[in-house]
Amino acid sequence: RSMEIMIWIGAALTVLGLLGLVLCIGIVLKKRRANLPEAEMRATLQKVVALNMAALAVSGIGLMLVLVGVILA
């Protein structure tokens, strides 16, 4: 039972991370269409890179939880 919970929590974290990645893509596309000055675009991209790395980390942790849950089940 506890491994099943771990798998579901991992799946939820993975989906959350993927939603974060989609959010990053949306932000960048919106800013690119706005034709911002280069300095402002760089600042935006630096913020998005941090969000992107966090989303990848959350997704990776979720996948690890799923893998451990499946192996130990």
Side-chain angles (χ1 to χ4, degrees):
R1 177 87 179 128
S2 63
M3 291 304 127
E4 184 178 328
I5 293 170
M6 183 186 294
I7 291 169
W8 281 108
I9 290 172
L13 284 175
T14 301
V15 169
L16 188 66
L18 289 175
L19 289 174
L21 292 173
V22 171
L23 178 67
C24 290
I25 292 169
I27 291 170
V28 170
L29 288 177
K30 183 179 175 184
K31 296 295 182 177
R32 284 188 75 184
R33 289 186 188 128
N35 280 337
L36 297 175
E38 185 175 343
E40 195 173 330
M41 187 65 172
R42 280 185 185 269
T44 300
L45 288 177
Q46 285 176 348
K47 291 176 187 173
V48 172
V49 166
L51 179 61
N52 188 24
M53 296 303 262
L56 281 172
V58 168
S59 185
I61 290 169
L63 287 172
M64 284 186 253
L65 281 174
V66 169
L67 184 64
V68 169
V70 168
I71 289 172
L72 295 177

